[in-house]
């Protein structure tokens, strides 16, 4: 990628980050400012990867780097419930969290009764309501040092899904996390962040689902941190079914404790450029 283009890209994201940081500061969560700033500084150092980088030699991200994305409007787009029907699982009872352009939409979500102590909510709320658990795990595993997309996501971390399964809890119904992108006057970039903390001897199934409402060259830059405690059994499904113009780069970082069992499944069905990165870390024997 030419140096001039690379510099222009960084200037574009610097302007976006400046506006985002100003708005984020007004919302509190002061403890997040340092990791956000450090992550953006690392993104500025790395720049977008090119085919000369070993991990990306078969994937050119030039279409992403050359697109002038904007952040979603502060006011979420109005999405009627009927628009969710194509993305539902009618024969499957499950709790569903819906996100529109990266932000949690409680009015479109439906939570079934959950086991005592289990938490499923938007990350923006969890940053305050569940700060102890979130701060102990968020941005602790997904490394920003070597991955520009993870660094960019961490710099703009604001909302997404938070799932906390306490010790010994078994939930048989899946948790469906539906991330929707809408078509607007300009292509938008969103940074969905999913944090799943499954403590020892717990069991659950998580479905992470990315879809489009309308045709647009939007970019979902998603990062999921999955923490599996000892003897945990967890199934994670990623479904990507966005528009033919959309870009999606997703990174799943798994931290596995002793004798844990994590099964990861990916189904990628659409998009102009789609890439799914999976980084498991076996941190305990027998996992």
């Amino acid at each position: 990628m030419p140096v001039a283009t690379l510099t222009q890209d960084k200037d574009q994201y610097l302007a976006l980050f400046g506006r985002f940081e100003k708005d984020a500061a007004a919302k509190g969560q002061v403890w997040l400012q340092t990791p956000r700033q450090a992550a953006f500084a690392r993104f500025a150092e790395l720049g977008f990867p090119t085919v000369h980088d070993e991990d990306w030699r078969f994937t050119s991200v030039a279409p992403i780097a050359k697109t002038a994305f904007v952040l979603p409007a502060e006011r979420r787009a109005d999405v009627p419930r009927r628009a969710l029907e194509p993305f539902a699982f009618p024969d499957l009872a499950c709790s569903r969290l819906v996100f529109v352009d990266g932000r949690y939409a409680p009015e479109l979500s439906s939570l079934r009764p959950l086991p005592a102590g289990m938490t499923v909510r938007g990350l923006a709320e969890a940053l305050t309501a569940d700060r102890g658990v979130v701060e102990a795990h968020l941005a602790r595993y997904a490394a920003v040092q070597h991955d520009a997309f993870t660094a960019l996501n961490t710099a703009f971390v604001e909302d997404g899904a938070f799932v906390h399964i306490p010790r010994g809890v078994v939930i048989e119904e899946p948790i469906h996390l539906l991330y929707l992108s809408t078509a607007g006057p300009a292509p938008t970039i969103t940074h969905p962040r999913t944090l799943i903390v499954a403590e020892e001897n717990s069991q659950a199934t998580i479905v992470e689902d990315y879809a489009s409402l309308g045709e647009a060259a939007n970019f979902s830059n998603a990062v999921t941190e999955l923490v599996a405690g000892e003897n945990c059994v967890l199934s994670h499904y990623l479904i990507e079914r966005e528009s033919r113009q959309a870009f999606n780069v997703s990174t799943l970082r798994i931290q596995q404790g002793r004798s844990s069992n994590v099964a990861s499944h990916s189904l990628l069905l659409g998009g102009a450029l789609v890439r799914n990165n999976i980084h498991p870390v076996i941190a305990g024997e027998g996992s």
Side-chain angles (χ1 to χ4, degrees), residues 6 10 38-47 145:
L6 191 60
K10 291 182 180 180
F40 186 80
R42 186 55 181 158
F43 167 74
E45 292 173 359
L46 291 170
Q145 289 303 309

Side-chain angles (χ1 to χ4, degrees), residues 18 28 30 32 47 55 71 90 94 123 125 136 150 153 157 159 161 170 175 195 202 210 213 223 258 260 269 278:
V30 176
L32 260 179
D55 289 345
L71 294 174
C94 63
L123 182 62
E125 181 184 358
T150 296
N153 176 286
V157 65
D159 208 352
V170 176
I175 304 297
L195 176 61
S202 63
Y210 294 85
L213 296 176
V223 172
R258 183 184 181 92
S260 60
L269 298 175
I278 302 175

Side-chain angles (χ1 to χ4, degrees), residues 117-148:
M118 183 171 173
T119 302
V120 178
R121 66 168 108 234
L123 182 62
E125 181 184 358
L127 289 172
T128 299
D130 309 280
R131 178 177 170 178
V133 178
V134 173
E135 189 172 0
H137 296 287
L138 184 68
R140 303 290 183 180
Y141 311 101
V144 303
Q145 289 303 309
H146 306 292
D147 188 334

Side-chain angles (χ1 to χ4, degrees), residues 175-260:
I175 304 297
H176 182 202
L177 311 175
L178 178 59
Y179 289 98
L180 296 173
S181 295
T182 63
T188 59
I189 181 171
T190 58
H191 303 277
R193 188 64 170 243
T194 302
L195 176 61
I196 303 165
V197 180
E199 296 184 4
E200 58 265 33
N201 299 304
S202 63
Q203 296 184 32
T205 297
I206 311 294
V207 180
E208 199 175 329
D209 194 351
Y210 294 85
S212 298
L213 296 176
E215 295 287 328
N218 296 326
F219 176 28
S220 297
N221 176 36
V223 172
T224 297
E225 291 178 294
L226 191 162
V227 186
E230 291 188 6
N231 301 304
C232 166
V233 178
L234 200 70
S235 293
H236 177 271
Y237 294 82
L238 174 73
I239 304 173
E240 189 283 326
R241 42 179 164 172
E242 293 169 301
S243 81
R244 295 291 182 90
Q245 300 178 36
F247 306 109
N248 185 297
V249 175
S250 59
T251 300
L252 171 63
R253 174 60 161 76
I254 307 170
Q255 186 78 9
Q256 289 189 239
R258 183 184 181 92
S259 299
S260 60

